[in-house]
Amino acid sequence: MSNIVLIGMMGSGKSTLSHLLSKKTGFKVIDCDSEIEKNEGMSIASIFDTYGESHFRALEKSYLESLSCDSCIVSTGGGMILQEENVMALMGIGHIFYLSGSVDTLVARLMTQTDDRPLLDESSLRSQIESLLSEREMLYLSSADDVVEIDDKSPSELVSEIYTILSEIDYNFSG
């Protein structure tokens, strides 16, 4: 399958970039978190509050197993790479880009979004991001085909960078 997969921490811009990449490539956007919310009829925060993180991770795994698409941009949740089965599935569906950002960049982007993010609390945002990034960084790096640094770059610059990488590997944009 020739899909584009975006992984990275919450706040790295996966959702934003997936829509901008869609305009450039013509690929359909699949936002895993949005699809899970639609399927469950509740927000990710509500799923965490009601059923806990392990239930949400099971929903992610199940959704990914049922995913069937070609010429799509798959925007994953920040913790999608926590389960090895998910990483193997992602590797099988397309080219994986890790959107890598510094703690400062992620904190700045997430400062106003803590209500919608079940793992974050505004009062301890920096330490939570540091902890999550420390826990996940090696998983992101080992899962990715390419790493794109997001610090000090606009969304359009990032889209151009991703598109250039795909063009250099003769990616098929005939979707």
Side-chain angles (χ1 to χ4, degrees), residues 106-125:
L106 297 171
V107 168
R109 290 179 173 196
L110 292 166
M111 197 61 93
T112 59
Q113 300 178 21
T114 54
D115 289 346
D116 300 332
R117 310 280 183 164
L119 295 177
L120 298 182
D121 174 8
E122 192 174 347
S123 65
S124 57
L125 183 60

Side-chain angles (χ1 to χ4, degrees), residues 7 32-33 36 56-57 60-61 63-64 74-87 90 136 140:
I7 64 172
C32 294
D33 282 354
I36 291 169
F56 175 72
R57 299 297 172 208
E60 277 185 323
K61 182 176 181 275
Y63 178 75
L64 195 54
V74 180
S75 174
T76 65
M80 182 71 82
I81 46 77
L82 294 174
Q83 295 183 36
E84 187 175 347
E85 300 91 349
N86 291 352
V87 173
L90 291 171
R136 297 175 178 179
Y140 289 133

Side-chain angles (χ1 to χ4, degrees), residues 150-167:
I150 64 167
D151 294 350
D152 303 317
K153 294 179 187 169
S154 70
S156 61
E157 289 172 317
L158 293 167
V159 167
S160 292
E161 186 174 336
I162 292 168
Y163 192 84
T164 298
I165 292 168
L166 292 169
S167 297

